[in-house]
Amino acid sequence: MEKISKIINEQKICSIIEKTSKPTPEIILNIIKKATQKRGLELEDIGYLLNTDDADLVGKIFQAAAQIKMEIYGERLVFFAPLYVSSFCVNDCKYCGFHNSNPTKRKKLTLEEVEEQTKILINMGHKRLLLEFGEDPQNTPIDYITDVIKTIYQTKTDKGEIRRLNVNIAATNVEDYQKLKAANIGTYQLFQETYHKPTYEKLHSGPKASFERQLLAHDNAFEAGIDDIGLGVLFGLYDYKFEVLSLISHAHYLEKKHQIGPHTFSVPRWQPAESVELDLPHYVSEDELLKIIAILRLAVPYTGMIISTRESAETREKAFKIGISQTSAASRTSPGGYGKEKNATQFSVADNRQVDEVINTVLNQGLLPSFCTACYRKGRTGKNFMDLAKPGKIHHLCRANGLLTFKEYLEDFASEKNKKQGQKVIDQSLVNITDKDTLQKTKQKLKEIEQGSRDIYF
Ligand code: SAM
Ligand code: SF4
C-alpha cells in the first residue's frame, strides 16, 4: 500500500482536481507561458488545464502544444505496426475482446507464422513493430516470447527487415524482464488501464487483478535494465482528469526513482470488442481526447506520445499537430491478422487505411513520415537519450535519420503520387537542417540510398 501511494496518492489527486476547479484566464495563460519553457508542469498546473473549458483558452493550449511539438520533434512522425502474436489469456479484463470468459477460438502463432506475418509487415514498409500478447504462462511462456522476438529479428525479405521490436506483455518479474532485455527489445510498454484502484479491481480478474502488480511492473523492468518504458491509460474506464494526473504522477515517480522518465505515453480510448458489454460512464469525447493529448504535451514535453488506429483518420490528423510523435498504420488486432486467416480481434479499429494512404495524409499536412530506429541501435536509450534530447542535441540527427528512412520508403514502397509529394517534403525538411556538416552528410546519404544502399543512419 505504501509503495502504491508513492506513485499515486488518490486523495492528493482528488484534492488537486477540486482545488483547481475554477481556473481564471490569468492562471491558464501563466501556465501556458511556463509550459513553453519546455521544463514540464506541476500536478496543480495540470489540474487547472484539465479544468479549463473556455474554448479560447483551450485553443491557446492547443497552439502551445503544437509549438512545443514542433520545437522538440520537428515535422517528424514515426510509424510502426502492432503484431498480435497470441490471443490466449488467463485474465478476464471486462473491456477486452480477449477476456478469458469469451468463448471465442484462441490463436497463438507458430514461429513459421510469425515469420510469415513479419514478411507481410516488412513488405508493407514497416521497420518497427509492437508485439502484443495476452497473458498465459502455459501457452506463451517468456521463452516462447523471446523465440518470437529472435524469429522476427532474423526474418528478411528483399525489401528489408524489422529493426526495432517494442513489446507489450503482461506485468512480470525481474528475471523475465532480463530475458526481454537480452532479446534486444526497444520499449517495454505496459498500460495501467485505470489508475483508480476501486475501478481497476472491479474491471479485472485473474493475475492482472492485482493493482499493485500492474503499477510496480515498470520498476521491475528498470531493475532488469530496460530503460525505455511506455505508460498508458485506457481512456473511458474512469474520470479522465484523475487518469491524466495519475499518469503524470507515475511519470514523475519513475523519473525521480530511476532518473529516467517514461519514453512514451499511449492514449488509447476504449473501442467495441467481441463479447464485451461495458457501461462507459466516463466515455471520453474526441474533443476531450485532443485536449488530453495537448495537455500531456505541455506537461511532459520530452515523452513521446503514441496514437493508434483505434482513432479515426480525422481525429488522428488533428492529434498529429498537437503532440503525437508516433503512430501505427494499417493495423490488425488479431494473431495472423495480416494474412488471410480470420481470428478473433482484441477490439475494432476506426482507421483501416493502407500505409501508403496514411502517409499521403501525413505528407499533405507537411509532416515527415519516419521509420527511424537509430537511437536504440546506437545505444541512445533511457538517460543517454534524455541527456541528448533535453538540451536539443539530438534534433538535427533525428530529422536526418527520419529523412533517410523515409527516402528508403519512397524508393521501395511508395505510390507514384507519394513519391512526388514525398520528395517535396524531403526538400522542405532538408532546409531545416541548420548544421552544415549534418546537412552535407545527409545529402550524400540520400544519394547513396537512391543508388541502392539501405539502413544507413547517424
Ligand atoms: N495483455 C497485455 C496486457 O493486458 O497488459 C498486453 C496488452 S493488450 C494486447 C494491449 C492493450 O490493449 C491493453 O493494455 C488495453 O489497454 C488495450 N485494450 C484492451 N481492450 C481494448 C478495447 N476494447 N479497446 C481499446 N483498447 C483495448
Ligand atoms: Fe488479456 Fe490483456 Fe486483454 Fe486483459 S487486456 S484480457 S490481459 S489481452
Side-chain angles (χ1 to χ4, degrees), residues 89 91-93 95-100 133-135 193 204 208 346:
C89 194
N91 293 305
D92 210 31
C93 311
Y95 44 81
C96 173
F98 292 164
H99 69 99
N100 187 262
F133 299 78
E135 176 174 6
E193 319 296 7
H204 294 95
K208 188 170 167 182
Q346 192 192 18

Side-chain angles (χ1 to χ4, degrees), residues 246-301:
S246 305
L247 182 66
I248 305 282
S249 244
H250 194 175
H252 286 170
Y253 159 85
L254 291 175
E255 176 131 34
K256 199 164 156 208
K257 180 153 182 204
H258 305 281
Q259 289 77 55
I260 314 166
H263 190 64
T264 53
F265 285 149
S266 298
V267 290
R269 275 196 301 175
W270 180 82
Q271 303 299 322
E274 185 192 309
S275 145
V276 171
E277 273 175 43
L278 196 64
D279 264 352
L280 268 196
H282 300 286
Y283 173 77
V284 167
S285 69
E286 189 209 85
D287 285 350
E288 285 167 340
L289 177 70
L290 293 171
K291 193 169 119 183
I292 290 168
I293 292 170
I295 292 173
L296 288 174
R297 187 66 303 134
L298 263 52
V300 192

Side-chain angles (χ1 to χ4, degrees), residues 183-411:
N184 216 1
I185 64 160
T187 309
Y188 170 64
Q189 281 190 18
L190 182 72
F191 307 157
Q192 184 60 31
E193 319 296 7
T194 171
Y195 283 93
H196 187 245
K197 194 166 180 274
T199 305
Y200 186 95
E201 286 170 349
K202 208 169 71 196
L203 291 173
H204 294 95
S205 57
K208 188 170 167 182
S210 164
F211 183 76
E212 188 167 305
R213 186 190 84 157
Q214 195 81 354
L215 197 61
L216 299 178
H218 306 87
D219 285 311
N220 287 341
F222 270 118
E223 202 182 318
I226 299 177
D227 56 5
D228 271 2
I229 296 287
L231 304 183
V233 162
L234 183 55
F235 284 104
L237 305 183
Y238 191 64
D239 172 26
Y240 76 84
K241 295 177 186 173
F242 182 90
E243 302 289 25
V244 170
L245 286 168
S246 305
L247 182 66
I248 305 282
S249 244
H250 194 175
H252 286 170
Y253 159 85
L254 291 175
E255 176 131 34
K256 199 164 156 208
K257 180 153 182 204
H258 305 281
Q259 289 77 55
I260 314 166
H263 190 64
T264 53
F265 285 149
S266 298
V267 290
R269 275 196 301 175
W270 180 82
Q271 303 299 322
E274 185 192 309
S275 145
V276 171
E277 273 175 43
L278 196 64
D279 264 352
L280 268 196
H282 300 286
Y283 173 77
V284 167
S285 69
E286 189 209 85
D287 285 350
E288 285 167 340
L289 177 70
L290 293 171
K291 193 169 119 183
I292 290 168
I293 292 170
I295 292 173
L296 288 174
R297 187 66 303 134
L298 263 52
V300 192
Y302 290 94
T303 298
M305 219 183 324
I306 304 176
I307 200 163
S308 75
T309 57
R310 289 175 181 88
E311 300 301 334
S312 68
E314 295 73 33
T315 309
R316 280 150 59 80
E317 204 174 323
K318 291 178 199 161
F320 295 156
K321 274 196 213 137
I322 54 163
I324 294 296
S325 55
Q326 295 188 27
T327 184
S328 49
S331 308
R332 297 287 175 269
T333 61
S334 64
Y338 295 103
K340 290 201 174 79
E341 214 179 313
K342 292 272 167 286
N343 295 305
T345 56
Q346 192 192 18
F347 51 81
S348 53
V349 298
D351 182 354
N352 279 299
R353 293 171 301 162
Q354 299 298 314
V355 177
D356 210 56
E357 285 174 74
V358 182
I359 298 260
N360 189 258
T361 332
V362 165
L363 291 173
N364 287 335
Q365 281 188 270
L367 297 174
L368 173 73
S370 166
F371 294 87
C372 182
T373 57
C375 273
Y376 119 99
R377 293 156 87 210
K378 287 264 188 184
R380 295 189 295 252
T381 62
K383 191 167 181 313
N384 289 341
F385 174 79
M386 286 300 171
D387 287 350
L388 288 168
K390 289 193 175 169
K393 285 187 185 161
I394 203 169
H395 200 35
H396 65 293
L397 289 187
C398 292
R399 179 173 279 128
N401 282 328
L403 279 164
L404 297 176
T405 55
F406 181 52
K407 181 71 177 170
E408 286 189 351
Y409 177 84
L410 289 185
E411 291 290 315

